[in-house]
Amino acid sequence: MASSAEEEKKDISLLDGAEWTLLSASSNEKKLQERLNVYLCPILLKAGSPHVRVRNKVISVCGNINKLIQSPTIVLPVASLLDQFKETDSPLIKHFDLIFIQHSVGRLERYEQQQLVPKALKNIRIGSSASLSQLFNVVLRMLPTIKIPSRGSKEDATFREAMGLSHPEDAKYVAEWLGKLLLLPANASADKPAPGLTEADISFLTLAGKKDTWNPSAGGLNLPETRILAANFLASGAFTDLERFIPALYAASSTDYRISGIGEDLLKRTSVSLEDKTLVSKLYDAHSKLQPPYRIRILGMLSKSEIATTFTNEVLAVFKRNVDLEKKVESQDPTFMDIDQRPTGPKSSGLEQTKLHRALFEFINWVARIGPSKTDFNSIGVNLIHMLRQFIHSQGWPRPHQQSLDDSVLRSRAYETIGILAKGTKMDDHRRSGLAAWLFQSLSEDPTPDVVVNIDSALSSVSTLFKPPHNDFRVELELQSILISYMLLDNETDENVIRSTRHAVAKWANNCLPFSDVTARWINIIAIAGRVDERNDVVEEGYKGLDPWTYHVNDDEDKSKDLPKWPAMVDVFFKAGRATRKSTDEGGMDIDAHPLFRNYPGDMIQAFPIAVDYCKKIFFLTALADSFVFDAGWQQRLEALVQSDLETRQAIRNYHVQFTRDDALLFTDLLTAAFEGMLRDDAPKIIEPCARSFVDLASFSSKVILAFLAPRSRELLPLIKSNKKELRALGAKALGILAAHPSHPAKELDDVTASLIDITKNFKTAVGAELNAVEGAFLALAHLASRLVYYSKTGAADRAAKIASGFPTLEEVASAASVVSTQETLFEAWSQLWTAGLGEKDQGSLIQSFVDPLVVHAKKGNEKAIAALGRLALSLPSDGSWDETLEKMLAQLYALYELKQVEVHFAVGEAIAAAVARWDAEVVQLTVDVESAGREYWVPRRAAQLVAVLEKLLADCKTTKPSLLKASGIWLFCLIQRCSHLEEVQSRLRLCQVAFMRLLSARDELVQETASRGLALVYEKGDAGLKSDLTKDLVASFTGSGPQIKVEEETELFDAGALPTGDGKSITSYKDIVSLANEVGDPSLVYKFMSLATNAATWSTRSAFGRFGLSNILSSSEVDPKLYPKLYRYRFDPNTNVQRSMNDIWKALVKDPNAVLETQFDNIMNDLLKSILGREWRVREASCSAIAELISGRPFPKYEKYYKDIWAAAVKVADDVKATVRNAAGKLCMTLSTTLVRQLEDTGSSATAKSMMNEALPFLLSDKGIESSADDVKYFCVSTVVKICKRGGSALKPYIPTLMVHLLGLLSTIEPEAINYYYQRVGEANRDKLDKLRANAVSQGPLGEAIEDCLRNVDAEVMDQLVPKLSETIKTAIGMPTKIGCGRAIWTLSTKHGINFEKHAPTFLNLMEKHTLDRNDEVSQGYARATAYLLRVAPDAAKQRFIEKFINLYLESDTDARRQKVANVVLALSKISPDHFNALETLLVPFSFLGKHDTDEYTQKAFKEVWDTHAGTHLSVTKYLKEIVSLAERTLSTAQWALKHGGALTVADAAESVAGAKTITHHVNVEHVKTLWPVYDKALILKTFPGKEKLLEPFPKFVELSKELLEKDDKLVAAYKKVAIREAKRNNDVYRPHAFECLRRVAAAWDGFGDMLPDIKTIVAPYLDVEEEDKDGDAMDVDTPASKDSRGLDLKTVTKWKALETLSKGYNRANMSKDPLSTLKEVITAIESIDPKFKPAQVFTTKPYITRPEFDVIRKTYWYGCAKDILEAAAVTGAAGSDAVPIIRWFLSTLDLNAEDTGLESQRIARAKAVKGAIQLGKITAEGVEFKTTELGKEVEGLVTGSIEKERSLDVQKEWKESLKLLG
């Protein structure tokens, strides 16, 4: 206890002593300051004492200290206090430390504060909140002193440690509070809420609520300015991107553009990952607290984060926070203030709300797209959809309350987001259906067009929720109900409906219901034809839904592709009543006529035939089942099979036989619907399609089903009499099927027959519609008669024969009817009769009556006549007596080979088949379209004739006549196609194969196709042996050397015109070749032409492969592996036919292409690499394309060993002579390039990427790549290298040194030659412009970017390799672009790789000493900029040496150009590296001052910019005066006049600055004058030169500065006076006026020079002597500048005036003060003595000398003001005297008071002021008499009064009136 008490006592004693020490110095601030520095910290340290008395004593002492330190000059030891604050744990000590720190921190110098910042920030996180808030406030006060280094600099990299923030927690703490500072509102307090800040935060930032914390006027901080400083500090290298991310976001959202700009820049450059869960959580938290501008920015960030979508609860909260605006906290408080002290009002602004909603929907859209794959999205998806719907309802639904653009955009986004959300959300059936119905209603009733697009998009997305199959049939039923209701919605009758939803409904029907759904197909049919003016997209969607191929191609594998049930379709389409959009009484037609039309009221009747036709097609497809394979052209193929394939027709009949009773009834309904449809006269458009469907269906119907309609056959008569040919034909077929039906009563049949016969009776005279009816009747009778035969009803044959007997012969028809259609109708009718075996035949008249008329038309290519000729031959008896007639008819058919029409030859072939094979030919069997009970009409083939025909056709296939060859091939094909099942044909299939093989080499593509089809057909019909032989022949033909051409003289080898001879003819046959060879005398021509023909045949043969089935033949054989390389290459042949054929073969031959290419890759690649350099251009081109395809998408290791060879071959062929080969090679090169670049993009520095670069780059950089002589190759390789550089990343490192050398060289070599052309032909000025363009091209071009990309990946190892090569490139570079590129490379290395480049900087600085002096200005400037960057990383010694070197270069230069280059370097350093410039300012600032006075304009401008930037003041000159004088002395000592003059001007400006510094400091530094005078004197001694007058301007001021020296040094006085007089005596006309002016001002500057008036008079007199001037009037002109002064006076006048002014004002000022009248008399005498006639006694009695006319201009312009100045100077110190009167009179006489020409207003004002000066002098010198009363006074008064009266100017009058007032 005793020890403790003693310690307490001791502490009290120490405190008392310290207190007394401080109080004793209270009257001496300096001593107090010193004692505070010593005692303050120890005193405060005692506050940590455990004794209360001691602590109280400290508090008492501190109170006294506070009183002592009120003086602003007292500065406490802040650094020590801060150290103590950091070291102590005592709260009381910390408290007092902070109090005194806050007291004095603002009084410290900037550098002192700057040094304290790191101390304050270190461990700033540690301590109590109260003390930390005050410490943070102290830091904020010191923020202005922090010098933030430039981004990327070396200082920036170490700035974090320099600021004491090396501990991450410190930096995090400071960044957090700086961010909160950005949120702090103005005038914030605990009772006023602030967004994003708690009460504790506000208390911290306001120092526990101190009102003056942020009040600048009360000593607080300026909040807006502090925010800016805080933002800048955050942007520095003191903080990592993560630490400042949230504060940067706050800054970017600020309304202060100065802060928001910084924040936006930080966010753009940030490397923070938005996938950080902690960061995202902070963003959500900030969003929940902040105002809309901040929330908008946060939502933008969250919209880039995938992990943000997993915060499901927060996502919902975000939506509620931003949409439910009326519930916001700030909205409830109208007094709420934002951070800039602006009231927010009850709601956010409309624009802000729109932006917020837009950002919200972007975020929700992001959540909807990303969320489902990241989390269990179902928990929020439904809620979000519900809230979005609520949002839309809040705007008005389905019609919005208002339709502003912003509202529409938000509404659109809401709908779009609903669609995306629904797509990723699992909803129950009820919600799904409800959402679909809601969207459909929105689509139909929303009036905004822009919104509708998004509604439709949402519907498309929602449709994925209904993807079939549906597990619950109720979903399907509900969906069907929705779709039907909106499909039939009518916007014409329903006022709420604005638009049709039919397209969306049709699309939904196709996507959401299975293909087997009948309702969906019904919707499709309505979409196609439910309206007359339906939109194309609706119709297209309808057709798409009806097409099963769409479902086979596009749908998933597991999706059902079952066909709809045709019975159900018939029931739904025609029997079940469905709601339609129009009531029955609005239908426009009587639908009670038949219930089948109940579903097709009004315009919907157009859909009826589509429904019938679709039911028919589905019926056929169902019958064919799996035997029918769907493809893109399935409809045409189905129709062809049904019409022309016996097996297909039989399959359909077999299916029909298996009908159940219900199926039969429904089929009957379908048949009836078609029948009723073709009878509807009120809907003509549906008749034909319904008739066609009826005929198709009836041809497969059983007699039982047809019996129902047979009695109604008479109703078809209107169709038969139709004017439309197609309807007549269909009506005739339908009538034949129904009327001939066995169940048709005979009486009704006879009535129908009679009616038809009656119509035909007047066929010879009928015309127009009547003739059309006749044609229809004949055709109907023929069908009726033939079907009576086919039905095989008892007695029907006789009835049919009777009908046939009534037909006219064709000879009669030809003579009676000239109309071709009538004849063709009879041809067709007789064909029907002859096929059925009807018609009497008279051998004698047959030829004339029938054959000859048919032949006439057959030769014209009439297919019906040709078919009739075949059917007539079919009907001839087989008893042998008709053989000759048959041969004649066949001969007529053979003779048709010359016909050109291809279709005709197929008709001829079928006619021949019918003639010889008769009913054994399939083409004849297809005629039967009814259910036949017997085969009495069947007649067998003529075997002998069939064999003969085959032999003839096989023989003709060997002919050389192209037309016969083509015809024979087609006929042979038709015969095999229709009769291949017959033994006679089967036994000759081998011969047929040979024939078709021969035809493959024909040049006619049709013949090739026919041969190809024929081969496929032969293969299909042949046995196993035949198939094997055929396969071998085909492969041999493909892989062999080429087909052999056997020729005869008439063999046609070339098409007509292919090889013209020049005389209008051309070579076509072998005979022509031989003839031409004989004429020329060169037999080798035969072989050359035959080679051409063989080549043509080869390609023609190969183009036929693979077409129409040949590929199937090859696919069944074993494939020789050698075939794969050839076949693969041919797939890319330039010939499209060959290419197409080879692709077909490849697909058939290679079942697994990937496996084959994998196993045969090496063989194929080797073959291609060999072929790509082959002789034939086709092979080269194909090889290029093949290689590109082969390597595309394949892993690099697979073709790594070929990679270099591929590049070499590709680049070589890229310069091919053939353009198409070059194009193919270009594509291959592009593939290689793209593959490499993509590999670099995807895998970066992976082993594969490096391997590819190892192979590709050496080649690309070789003389075969970028150094290639072929421009195309070079440009491609350069382009590829640029791409590699862009994407190569770290994989580039091994190649960067080499790449840099090549890229820099390319900058020059790749430059267009046109630039060099223009460069040589333009002037110097234009060359500079061109150089700028070239320099810009380097920096902005792709090569420049590639160089930057390379340098971006440089590290220490690469740097060591790069530097030698780069330095060598700089030394050897010739082209300007290369030099520019080198400069930029140095620039980049210095800025981005400063640490690694630092040790190499001296080397490059040495290089720059030479290359910055390049004679090209752009190059010089480029290297100058590079040098500026180099100096950032160079050692101080190297910098010093370099600058000194350049200063010496300047001082030793002998040309302006050299000095310009030096100026470039200094200017670049000033702009680019100002900090380093400042470090060298003792050298550079004086140098720039010297340079800104250079005589070269460019150099002067550059140095002036430097000077103005870094100095620019008079004080700066005085600071570096010694250095400037030293440089000037060196320039004055050189032999170069330009340097001498520049140095002289520098000295003059320095003198001016020394004088200017006096006006600032109000003090003359004599040392400056002493330092400057010797060199100034040296400069003035120089001979006159343009601009030397600038040296004279500061001299009078310099004299004033030198007064102190002049008073002590007479020699100096003499020197100054000598200089003034010497310069005035200079014999330079331009310089002389300035010298006179200087002399005058020097005389006035100091009285110690004595009376200089005599000297002045001696110097200026010659220039004022008018008579002397007249004597010199004839003097020789000299080359003096014809310049004029500011008032337009010439040089002589100006000189005369300066002489007069110098003489009149050159009086001694001291003398003027003592005796003004005497001094004035001396001046007048000096002036008057200029006159040679001057007599001293007459000085005042004669007219003044200067009133002579020669001085008129001078008087008006200058003298009036000069007289005023002299008179006023005399009046100031004037004394009474009678001598004043003549003096005043003399002056008044010179003022032209009585002159009529009064001059300008300014001159008149000057004269009035001069008179006022005379009056002043007169009043002063009047001896006790009032001047006004004197004679002179009265005279003056009169003059003034008169002048006022004459004067019109108010300003001049004012001056005169003042004179009058002064006069009294």
Side-chain angles (χ1 to χ4, degrees), residues 1293-1294 1296-1297 1353-1364 1396 1399-1400:
K1293 289 182 179 179
I1296 288 176
N1353 298 289
V1354 171
D1355 57 15
E1357 182 180 353
V1358 175
M1359 183 71 74
D1360 293 338
Q1361 300 173 17
L1362 174 62
V1363 164
N1396 295 328
K1399 63 181 179 181
H1400 303 289

Side-chain angles (χ1 to χ4, degrees), residues 1050-1296:
E1050 298 301 326
T1051 300
E1052 188 172 316
L1053 298 175
F1054 300 99
D1055 293 329
L1059 295 176
T1061 59
D1063 55 357
K1065 300 179 181 180
S1066 62
I1067 298 172
T1068 57
S1069 66
Y1070 180 69
K1071 181 175 68 176
D1072 294 334
I1073 293 175
V1074 175
S1075 176
L1076 181 62
N1078 291 334
E1079 290 179 15
V1080 177
D1082 185 3
S1084 65
L1085 280 178
V1086 174
Y1087 300 101
K1088 291 179 181 178
F1089 279 114
M1090 286 304 294
S1091 175
L1092 285 174
T1094 301
N1095 190 53
T1098 300
W1099 291 107
S1100 296
T1101 299
R1102 286 171 178 161
S1103 70
F1105 284 168
R1107 303 171 72 176
F1108 307 103
L1110 279 185
S1111 57
N1112 292 328
I1113 299 173
L1114 283 174
S1115 66
S1116 63
S1117 63
E1118 289 293 330
V1119 180
D1120 186 347
K1122 296 179 180 178
L1123 182 62
Y1124 289 121
K1126 305 290 184 185
L1127 185 58
Y1128 187 83
R1129 187 183 75 234
Y1130 281 129
R1131 291 176 59 213
F1132 304 92
D1133 192 87
N1135 186 302
T1136 54
N1137 289 332
V1138 174
Q1139 190 179 118
R1140 185 173 63 249
S1141 302
M1142 293 306 118
N1143 274 317
D1144 290 341
I1145 292 179
W1146 176 267
K1147 291 175 184 176
L1149 194 62
V1150 182
K1151 301 302 182 184
D1152 188 353
N1154 290 333
V1156 170
L1157 290 177
E1158 194 68 24
T1159 56
Q1160 298 294 324
F1161 183 84
D1162 291 334
N1163 293 334
I1164 294 174
M1165 181 59 77
N1166 286 322
D1167 181 78
L1168 292 175
L1169 288 175
K1170 181 179 179 182
S1171 302
I1172 197 173
L1173 302 176
R1175 290 184 302 169
E1176 295 186 27
W1177 68 268
R1178 292 174 178 273
V1179 175
R1180 297 197 299 274
E1181 183 176 339
S1183 299
C1184 289
S1185 302
I1187 292 175
E1189 179 67 21
L1190 186 61
I1191 65 174
S1192 180
R1194 206 163 296 279
F1196 177 70
K1198 187 70 178 177
Y1199 58 91
E1200 182 176 2
K1201 61 182 178 181
Y1202 305 108
Y1203 196 58
K1204 193 170 184 179
D1205 294 335
I1206 295 172
W1207 269 109
V1211 172
K1212 184 173 183 179
V1213 181
D1215 193 32
D1216 198 274
V1217 67
K1218 179 77 173 172
T1220 57
V1221 179
R1222 291 199 300 273
N1223 293 336
K1227 292 178 181 177
L1228 173 57
C1229 292
M1230 193 58 64
T1231 300
L1232 293 169
S1233 172
T1234 305
T1235 304
L1236 175 54
V1237 172
R1238 189 178 296 118
Q1239 186 70 36
L1240 292 172
E1241 288 177 345
D1242 295 343
T1243 61
S1245 58
S1246 67
T1248 300
K1250 290 180 178 177
S1251 298
M1252 295 181 79
M1253 289 179 62
N1254 289 338
E1255 296 293 339
L1257 266 181
F1259 173 77
L1260 290 171
L1261 299 177
S1262 68
D1263 56 351
K1264 297 179 181 178
I1266 61 176
E1267 304 295 339
S1268 173
S1269 58
D1271 288 342
D1272 291 344
V1273 173
K1274 177 195 292 185
Y1275 293 144
F1276 168 75
C1277 292
V1278 169
S1279 174
T1280 303
V1281 170
V1282 168
K1283 292 177 182 177
I1284 291 173
C1285 293
K1286 186 174 184 180
R1287 307 296 183 191
S1290 59
L1292 277 175
K1293 289 182 179 179
Y1295 303 99
I1296 288 176

Side-chain angles (χ1 to χ4, degrees), residues 486-730:
Y486 281 99
M487 191 68 193
L488 299 175
L489 204 63
D490 193 347
N491 57 336
E492 296 178 359
T493 58
D494 191 338
E495 61 181 12
N496 292 326
V497 178
I498 293 176
R499 70 181 52 78
S500 167
T501 58
R502 296 159 72 86
H503 179 263
V505 171
K507 195 172 182 179
W508 267 62
N510 296 341
N511 295 335
C512 303
L513 294 173
F515 182 60
S516 58
D517 190 275
V518 175
T519 302
R521 306 293 73 79
W522 167 246
I523 290 172
N524 293 141
I525 289 171
I526 297 175
I528 293 171
R531 290 187 178 183
V532 177
D533 55 348
E534 191 58 89
R535 301 199 319 265
N536 290 337
D537 59 339
V538 179
V539 175
E540 182 180 349
E541 197 64 38
Y543 278 119
K544 181 180 177 181
L546 295 181
D547 190 351
W549 173 242
T550 303
Y551 293 82
H552 281 74
V553 170
N554 299 328
D555 284 354
D556 300 332
E557 290 296 328
D558 57 347
K559 189 172 180 179
S560 174
K561 302 178 181 64
D562 295 339
L563 295 173
K565 304 296 183 183
W566 67 265
M569 288 170 55
V570 173
D571 182 58
V572 171
F573 293 177
F574 305 110
K575 299 190 69 178
R578 281 193 172 272
T580 58
R581 72 175 190 274
K582 292 186 178 180
S583 60
T584 54
D585 57 350
E586 293 176 335
M589 61 178 284
D590 184 11
I591 66 168
D592 294 330
H594 201 287
L596 293 172
F597 294 100
R598 67 163 62 92
N599 290 335
Y600 304 93
D603 293 340
M604 283 189 65
I605 192 64
Q606 305 301 326
F608 186 83
I610 296 174
V612 172
D613 180 69
Y614 193 63
C615 288
K616 176 194 74 174
K617 289 176 180 175
I618 297 299
F619 165 69
F620 288 156
L621 292 173
T622 304
L624 297 175
D626 295 336
S627 63
F628 185 85
V629 179
F630 286 98
D631 56 20
W634 70 271
Q635 296 190 67
Q636 293 79 4
R637 192 160 57 84
L638 176 63
E639 184 178 356
L641 288 172
V642 170
Q643 297 296 330
S644 61
D645 187 73
L646 278 176
E647 291 183 5
T648 299
R649 294 182 68 84
Q650 189 58 47
I652 296 173
R653 285 197 176 96
N654 292 339
Y655 173 74
H656 186 277
V657 171
Q658 299 171 8
F659 274 176
T660 63
R661 182 176 179 276
D662 291 339
D663 290 344
L665 290 174
L666 288 169
F667 186 81
T668 303
D669 290 333
L670 176 59
L671 201 60
T672 305
F675 186 81
E676 293 293 342
M678 69 178 177
L679 299 179
R680 294 308 299 257
D681 294 335
D682 55 352
K685 291 184 179 180
I686 76 170
I687 295 175
E688 184 179 343
C690 286
R692 185 170 287 106
S693 295
F694 176 80
V695 170
D696 289 344
L697 291 169
S699 64
F700 295 101
S701 299
S702 64
K703 288 185 284 187
V704 176
I705 292 177
L706 287 175
F708 175 72
L709 292 173
R712 299 181 63 184
S713 59
R714 190 175 186 83
E715 297 178 33
L716 297 173
L717 290 177
L719 266 69
I720 292 168
K721 294 187 286 184
S722 172
N723 289 327
K724 196 171 182 181
K725 184 177 180 180
E726 291 79 3
L727 282 180
R728 294 199 300 272
L730 291 170

Side-chain angles (χ1 to χ4, degrees), residues 10 114 292 403 411 866 886 1354 1455 1629 1670 1707 1822 1846:
K10 181 180 179 181
Q114 190 174 357
Q403 298 186 35
R411 193 177 182 88
I866 294 170
L886 178 62
V1354 171
T1455 62
D1629 293 340
D1670 291 339
Y1707 54 83
K1846 293 187 291 182

Side-chain angles (χ1 to χ4, degrees), residues 89 129 347 360 379 452 546 776 828 858 1001 1180 1537 1582 1595:
D89 295 328
S129 176
K347 288 188 178 180
L360 171 66
S379 59
V452 171
L546 295 181
E828 188 175 353
S1001 62
R1180 297 197 299 274
W1537 283 108
L1582 294 176
F1595 186 58

Side-chain angles (χ1 to χ4, degrees), residues 192 262 377 465 497 523 1053 1099 1395 1533 1560 1579:
K192 290 184 179 180
I262 298 170
F377 198 66
L465 301 177
V497 178
I523 290 172
L1053 298 175
W1099 291 107
I1395 296 175
S1533 300
I1560 299 173

